[in-house]
Amino acid sequence: MSHFLRALELAERGRGETRDHPLVGAVVVRDGEVVGEGWYEYDGIRHAEAIALERAGDSARGATLYVTLEPCSHHGRTPPCADAVIAAGVARVVVGARDPNPVVDGRGLDRLRAAGIEVELLDDLAARRQNEAWRLWKSLGRPFVTFKAAVTLDGRVTVPGRRWVSGEESRRRVHELRAAADAVAVGMGTVRTDAPRLDARDVDAARQPRRLAFGRGPLPEGSELELRSGPLEDELSALAAEGVQSLLLEGGPKLATAFLAAGLVDKLLLFVAPVVAGEGPHVLGPLPAPLDLLHLRVEPCGDDVLLEAYLREP
Protein backbone atom coordinates (compact mmCIF):
# COMPACT_ATOMS: atom_id res chain seq x y z
CA MET A 1 0.00 0.00 0.00
CA SER A 2 1.35 3.39 -0.93
CA HIS A 3 1.82 5.93 1.84
CA PHE A 4 -0.93 8.14 0.43
CA LEU A 5 -3.43 5.27 0.36
CA ARG A 6 -2.51 4.65 3.99
CA ALA A 7 -3.37 8.28 4.74
CA LEU A 8 -6.78 7.82 3.08
CA GLU A 9 -7.34 4.69 5.16
CA LEU A 10 -6.45 6.51 8.37
CA ALA A 11 -8.81 9.37 7.51
CA GLU A 12 -11.73 6.93 7.39
CA ARG A 13 -11.21 6.16 11.09
CA GLY A 14 -12.72 9.56 11.80
CA ARG A 15 -15.93 8.81 9.87
CA GLY A 16 -18.88 10.00 11.95
CA GLU A 17 -16.58 11.72 14.47
CA THR A 18 -15.62 14.95 12.69
CA ARG A 19 -18.88 16.95 13.00
CA ASP A 20 -18.51 20.04 10.80
CA HIS A 21 -14.90 19.22 9.90
CA PRO A 22 -13.56 17.04 7.07
CA LEU A 23 -11.97 13.61 7.26
CA VAL A 24 -8.18 13.95 7.24
CA GLY A 25 -5.41 11.38 7.46
CA ALA A 26 -1.65 11.98 7.63
CA VAL A 27 1.47 9.84 7.36
CA VAL A 28 5.08 10.98 7.97
CA VAL A 29 7.73 9.01 6.08
CA ARG A 30 11.52 9.26 6.43
CA ASP A 31 13.97 7.12 4.50
CA GLY A 32 11.10 4.94 3.32
CA GLU A 33 9.88 4.17 6.84
CA VAL A 34 6.65 5.39 8.43
CA VAL A 35 7.59 7.37 11.53
CA GLY A 36 4.24 8.97 12.40
CA GLU A 37 0.52 8.62 11.63
CA GLY A 38 -2.62 10.51 12.58
CA TRP A 39 -6.25 11.18 11.72
CA TYR A 40 -8.76 13.80 12.73
CA GLU A 41 -11.55 13.35 15.27
CA TYR A 42 -13.46 16.35 16.59
CA ASP A 43 -13.22 15.49 20.28
CA GLY A 44 -9.46 15.02 20.00
CA ILE A 45 -9.17 18.69 18.93
CA ARG A 46 -5.74 18.17 17.32
CA HIS A 47 -5.57 17.80 13.56
CA ALA A 48 -4.24 14.76 11.73
CA GLU A 49 -1.00 16.50 10.69
CA ALA A 50 -0.21 17.64 14.23
CA ILE A 51 -0.78 14.16 15.63
CA ALA A 52 1.39 12.49 12.97
CA LEU A 53 4.19 15.04 13.42
CA GLU A 54 4.13 14.69 17.21
CA ARG A 55 4.44 10.93 16.89
CA ALA A 56 7.29 11.34 14.43
CA GLY A 57 9.17 13.67 16.76
CA ASP A 58 12.66 14.58 15.55
CA SER A 59 12.28 12.08 12.70
CA ALA A 60 9.94 14.56 10.96
CA ARG A 61 12.91 16.77 10.07
CA GLY A 62 13.72 16.19 6.39
CA ALA A 63 10.78 13.77 6.05
CA THR A 64 7.84 13.61 3.64
CA LEU A 65 4.31 14.25 4.92
CA TYR A 66 1.42 12.61 3.08
CA VAL A 67 -1.88 14.28 3.95
CA THR A 68 -5.30 13.77 2.37
CA LEU A 69 -6.38 17.43 2.55
CA GLU A 70 -4.56 20.74 2.28
CA PRO A 71 -3.17 21.80 5.69
CA CYS A 72 -5.04 24.72 7.16
CA SER A 73 -3.42 28.15 7.36
CA HIS A 74 -5.77 29.86 9.81
CA HIS A 75 -6.51 29.79 13.51
CA GLY A 76 -9.64 27.78 14.30
CA ARG A 77 -9.98 25.41 17.23
CA THR A 78 -6.25 24.75 16.73
CA PRO A 79 -3.24 26.72 15.44
CA PRO A 80 -2.56 26.50 11.68
CA CYS A 81 -1.37 23.05 10.61
CA ALA A 82 0.81 24.62 7.92
CA ASP A 83 2.81 26.32 10.67
CA ALA A 84 3.22 23.02 12.51
CA VAL A 85 4.52 21.36 9.32
CA ILE A 86 7.04 24.17 8.81
CA ALA A 87 8.18 24.09 12.43
CA ALA A 88 8.73 20.33 12.28
CA GLY A 89 11.24 20.73 9.46
CA VAL A 90 9.37 18.59 6.92
CA ALA A 91 11.06 18.71 3.51
CA ARG A 92 8.20 17.60 1.25
CA VAL A 93 4.41 17.49 1.50
CA VAL A 94 2.13 15.40 -0.73
CA VAL A 95 -1.45 16.69 -0.56
CA GLY A 96 -4.47 14.74 -1.77
CA ALA A 97 -6.83 17.64 -2.43
CA ARG A 98 -7.21 21.38 -1.94
CA ASP A 99 -9.43 22.60 0.86
CA PRO A 100 -12.51 24.32 -0.68
CA ASN A 101 -13.15 26.26 2.53
CA PRO A 102 -12.82 29.92 1.44
CA VAL A 103 -10.60 30.70 4.44
CA VAL A 104 -8.10 28.02 3.34
CA ASP A 105 -8.37 27.29 -0.40
CA GLY A 106 -4.75 27.32 -1.56
CA ARG A 107 -3.39 29.44 1.28
CA GLY A 108 -2.01 26.43 3.15
CA LEU A 109 -0.12 25.26 0.07
CA ASP A 110 1.19 28.77 -0.54
CA ARG A 111 2.44 29.05 3.02
CA LEU A 112 4.32 25.74 2.77
CA ARG A 113 5.94 26.71 -0.54
CA ALA A 114 6.93 30.12 0.83
CA ALA A 115 8.78 28.31 3.62
CA GLY A 116 10.83 26.37 1.05
CA ILE A 117 8.93 23.08 1.39
CA GLU A 118 8.42 21.04 -1.77
CA VAL A 119 4.65 20.62 -2.29
CA GLU A 120 2.94 18.12 -4.59
CA LEU A 121 -0.84 18.47 -5.07
CA LEU A 122 -2.36 15.23 -6.34
CA ASP A 123 -5.94 16.50 -6.82
CA ASP A 124 -6.86 12.88 -6.17
CA LEU A 125 -10.43 11.76 -6.93
CA ALA A 126 -10.52 9.36 -3.98
CA ALA A 127 -9.46 12.17 -1.64
CA ARG A 128 -12.16 14.45 -3.02
CA ARG A 129 -14.79 11.72 -2.84
CA GLN A 130 -13.90 11.01 0.78
CA ASN A 131 -15.14 14.49 1.75
CA GLU A 132 -17.60 15.03 -1.09
CA ALA A 133 -20.47 16.21 1.13
CA TRP A 134 -18.34 18.46 3.32
CA ARG A 135 -16.59 19.97 0.30
CA LEU A 136 -19.83 21.04 -1.38
CA TRP A 137 -21.41 22.17 1.92
CA LYS A 138 -18.41 24.42 2.52
CA SER A 139 -18.09 25.78 -1.03
CA LEU A 140 -21.76 26.20 -2.08
CA GLY A 141 -23.54 26.58 1.24
CA ARG A 142 -26.05 23.76 0.69
CA PRO A 143 -26.14 20.02 1.36
CA PHE A 144 -24.60 17.53 -1.05
CA VAL A 145 -27.63 15.91 -2.73
CA THR A 146 -27.62 12.27 -3.80
CA PHE A 147 -30.62 11.08 -5.82
CA LYS A 148 -31.30 7.38 -5.29
CA ALA A 149 -33.80 5.31 -7.25
CA ALA A 150 -34.56 1.68 -7.99
CA VAL A 151 -35.40 1.20 -11.68
CA THR A 152 -36.13 -1.52 -14.18
CA LEU A 153 -34.11 -2.03 -17.35
CA ASP A 154 -36.68 0.08 -19.19
CA GLY A 155 -36.36 2.92 -16.68
CA ARG A 156 -39.59 2.36 -14.73
CA VAL A 157 -39.91 2.81 -10.98
CA THR A 158 -42.69 0.25 -10.48
CA VAL A 159 -43.22 -3.33 -11.62
CA PRO A 160 -46.82 -4.57 -12.06
CA GLY A 161 -47.76 -7.06 -9.37
CA ARG A 162 -44.61 -6.50 -7.27
CA ARG A 163 -44.05 -4.51 -4.10
CA TRP A 164 -40.35 -3.92 -4.75
CA VAL A 165 -38.37 -3.11 -7.87
CA SER A 166 -34.96 -3.98 -6.44
CA GLY A 167 -33.75 -7.00 -4.52
CA GLU A 168 -33.08 -7.50 -0.82
CA GLU A 169 -29.38 -6.61 -0.95
CA SER A 170 -30.11 -3.32 -2.74
CA ARG A 171 -32.78 -2.46 -0.18
CA ARG A 172 -30.31 -3.10 2.62
CA ARG A 173 -27.81 -0.81 0.90
CA VAL A 174 -30.44 1.94 0.90
CA HIS A 175 -30.76 1.65 4.68
CA GLU A 176 -26.97 1.99 4.93
CA LEU A 177 -27.18 5.12 2.76
CA ARG A 178 -29.83 6.54 5.08
CA ALA A 179 -27.70 5.82 8.12
CA ALA A 180 -24.80 7.72 6.54
CA ALA A 181 -26.89 10.74 5.46
CA ASP A 182 -27.74 13.78 7.56
CA ALA A 183 -31.21 13.94 6.02
CA VAL A 184 -33.48 11.86 3.76
CA ALA A 185 -36.27 13.36 1.67
CA VAL A 186 -39.24 12.52 -0.53
CA GLY A 187 -42.00 14.56 -2.16
CA MET A 188 -45.60 14.81 -1.07
CA GLY A 189 -46.69 12.45 -3.83
CA THR A 190 -44.56 9.70 -2.30
CA VAL A 191 -45.83 10.59 1.18
CA ARG A 192 -49.45 10.19 0.08
CA THR A 193 -48.84 7.02 -1.94
CA ASP A 194 -46.38 5.10 0.22
CA ALA A 195 -46.34 6.77 3.68
CA PRO A 196 -42.58 6.09 3.90
CA ARG A 197 -40.77 6.02 7.25
CA LEU A 198 -37.38 6.98 5.77
CA ASP A 199 -35.50 5.71 8.82
CA ALA A 200 -32.44 3.43 8.73
CA ARG A 201 -33.50 -0.06 9.81
CA ASP A 202 -31.59 -3.29 10.50
CA VAL A 203 -28.19 -1.64 9.91
CA ASP A 204 -25.59 -0.12 12.20
CA ALA A 205 -26.81 3.47 12.54
CA ALA A 206 -25.09 5.79 15.01
CA ARG A 207 -28.04 8.14 14.63
CA GLN A 208 -31.13 8.45 12.46
CA PRO A 209 -31.24 11.04 9.65
CA ARG A 210 -33.66 13.92 9.62
CA ARG A 211 -36.66 12.85 7.56
CA LEU A 212 -38.12 15.45 5.22
CA ALA A 213 -41.02 15.92 2.82
CA PHE A 214 -40.74 18.61 0.14
CA GLY A 215 -44.05 20.07 -1.02
CA ARG A 216 -47.08 22.04 -0.01
CA GLY A 217 -48.57 19.47 2.36
CA PRO A 218 -50.36 19.01 4.57
CA LEU A 219 -48.68 15.94 5.98
CA PRO A 220 -50.98 13.05 6.89
CA GLU A 221 -51.99 12.85 10.53
CA GLY A 222 -49.34 11.03 12.56
CA SER A 223 -46.56 11.58 10.02
CA GLU A 224 -43.11 11.96 11.59
CA LEU A 225 -41.65 13.77 8.58
CA GLU A 226 -40.67 17.47 8.51
CA LEU A 227 -42.53 19.45 5.87
CA ARG A 228 -40.35 21.83 3.78
CA SER A 229 -42.64 23.97 1.64
CA GLY A 230 -40.38 26.78 0.39
CA PRO A 231 -38.37 27.02 -2.84
CA LEU A 232 -35.86 24.19 -3.09
CA GLU A 233 -32.81 26.47 -3.07
CA ASP A 234 -34.03 28.30 0.03
CA GLU A 235 -34.83 25.10 1.87
CA LEU A 236 -31.42 23.62 1.07
CA SER A 237 -29.67 26.77 2.29
CA ALA A 238 -31.67 26.63 5.51
CA LEU A 239 -30.81 22.97 6.02
CA ALA A 240 -27.11 23.70 5.43
CA ALA A 241 -27.22 26.44 8.05
CA GLU A 242 -28.63 23.85 10.46
CA GLY A 243 -25.63 21.58 9.84
CA VAL A 244 -27.10 19.25 7.21
CA GLN A 245 -24.17 18.39 4.95
CA SER A 246 -25.69 15.48 3.02
CA LEU A 247 -29.21 14.86 1.72
CA LEU A 248 -30.40 11.55 0.29
CA LEU A 249 -33.24 12.20 -2.14
CA GLU A 250 -35.63 9.27 -2.45
CA GLY A 251 -38.56 11.06 -4.04
CA GLY A 252 -40.57 10.04 -7.04
CA PRO A 253 -40.18 11.32 -10.62
CA LYS A 254 -41.71 14.76 -9.96
CA LEU A 255 -39.39 15.74 -7.10
CA ALA A 256 -36.30 14.18 -8.71
CA THR A 257 -36.95 16.04 -11.96
CA ALA A 258 -37.41 19.32 -10.09
CA PHE A 259 -34.09 18.88 -8.25
CA LEU A 260 -32.25 17.89 -11.42
CA ALA A 261 -33.76 20.69 -13.51
CA ALA A 262 -32.64 23.19 -10.84
CA GLY A 263 -29.07 21.82 -10.84
CA LEU A 264 -29.39 20.66 -7.25
CA VAL A 265 -28.37 17.00 -7.61
CA ASP A 266 -24.70 16.19 -7.16
CA LYS A 267 -24.65 12.40 -7.31
CA LEU A 268 -26.83 9.74 -8.88
CA LEU A 269 -27.34 6.20 -7.55
CA LEU A 270 -29.49 3.88 -9.65
CA PHE A 271 -30.23 0.34 -8.52
CA VAL A 272 -31.08 -1.35 -11.82
CA ALA A 273 -33.11 -4.55 -11.47
CA PRO A 274 -33.03 -7.36 -14.06
CA VAL A 275 -36.63 -6.90 -15.15
CA VAL A 276 -38.51 -5.10 -17.92
CA ALA A 277 -41.72 -3.61 -16.55
CA GLY A 278 -43.31 -2.65 -19.85
CA GLU A 279 -45.48 -0.01 -18.22
CA GLY A 280 -45.53 2.40 -15.30
CA PRO A 281 -43.92 5.77 -14.51
CA HIS A 282 -40.39 6.49 -15.65
CA VAL A 283 -37.71 7.50 -13.17
CA LEU A 284 -37.60 11.08 -14.53
CA GLY A 285 -39.79 13.51 -16.39
CA PRO A 286 -38.67 15.90 -19.14
CA LEU A 287 -35.53 17.95 -18.44
CA PRO A 288 -34.53 21.29 -20.00
CA ALA A 289 -31.38 19.74 -21.47
CA PRO A 290 -29.38 16.50 -21.35
CA LEU A 291 -27.15 16.04 -18.31
CA ASP A 292 -23.63 14.68 -18.71
CA LEU A 293 -22.47 12.35 -15.95
CA LEU A 294 -18.96 12.05 -14.52
CA HIS A 295 -16.96 9.20 -13.00
CA LEU A 296 -19.51 6.47 -13.79
CA ARG A 297 -18.99 3.34 -11.68
CA VAL A 298 -20.83 0.03 -11.89
CA GLU A 299 -20.99 -2.70 -9.28
CA PRO A 300 -23.17 -5.76 -8.67
CA CYS A 301 -25.59 -5.56 -5.77
CA GLY A 302 -27.19 -8.96 -5.32
CA ASP A 303 -29.08 -9.64 -8.55
CA ASP A 304 -29.19 -5.91 -9.32
CA VAL A 305 -26.57 -3.54 -10.69
CA LEU A 306 -25.72 -0.29 -8.93
CA LEU A 307 -24.80 2.63 -11.17
CA GLU A 308 -23.06 5.59 -9.50
CA ALA A 309 -22.22 8.84 -11.23
CA TYR A 310 -21.63 12.51 -10.41
CA LEU A 311 -23.22 15.55 -11.97
CA ARG A 312 -20.29 17.77 -10.95
CA GLU A 313 -16.75 17.17 -9.80
CA PRO A 314 -16.72 16.17 -6.12
Side-chain angles (χ1 to χ4, degrees), residues 24-47:
V24 185
V27 177
V28 182
V29 178
R30 183 171 176 177
D31 299 328
E33 297 293 327
V34 174
V35 293
E37 294 184 336
W39 65 92
Y40 180 75
E41 291 183 8
Y42 189 89
D43 290 339
I45 298 181
R46 293 179 305 156
H47 286 198

Side-chain angles (χ1 to χ4, degrees), residues 86-193:
I86 295 167
V90 169
R92 178 170 176 257
V93 178
V94 178
V95 177
R98 290 171 71 112
D99 188 331
N101 187 341
V103 302
V104 180
D105 196 8
R107 292 180 177 87
L109 302 182
D110 291 343
R111 184 173 294 192
L112 295 177
R113 291 189 177 111
I117 296 174
E118 178 187 348
V119 176
E120 180 181 357
L121 175 63
L122 300 178
D123 192 27
D124 181 72
L125 177 59
R128 286 186 278 122
R129 282 172 51 91
Q130 190 170 61
N131 285 303
E132 60 190 18
W134 178 85
R135 295 177 66 84
L136 186 127
W137 179 68
K138 272 294 183 185
S139 60
L140 296 186
R142 67 165 176 81
F144 182 92
V145 177
T146 299
F147 171 53
K148 180 279 305 178
V151 300
T152 64
L153 281 174
D154 53 343
R156 316 278 183 168
V157 292
T158 61
V159 178
R162 297 189 189 180
R163 180 182 180 187
W164 306 107
V165 173
S166 57
E168 183 177 347
E169 188 167 332
S170 293
R171 297 197 299 275
R172 177 181 173 81
R173 179 74 74 88
V174 170
H175 284 278
E176 293 173 347
L177 291 169
R178 290 177 181 175
D182 292 327
V184 182
V186 294
M188 284 303 303
T190 301
V191 171
R192 297 185 185 104
T193 303

Side-chain angles (χ1 to χ4, degrees), residues 250-263:
E250 296 194 27
K254 184 177 180 181
L255 185 64
T257 302
F259 265 81
L260 281 162

Side-chain angles (χ1 to χ4, degrees), residues 142 145 147 249 256 259-260 263-268 311-312:
R142 67 165 176 81
V145 177
F147 171 53
L249 187 64
F259 265 81
L260 281 162
L264 296 175
V265 175
D266 306 295
K267 188 176 184 178
L268 186 68
L311 284 98
R312 57 172 48 83

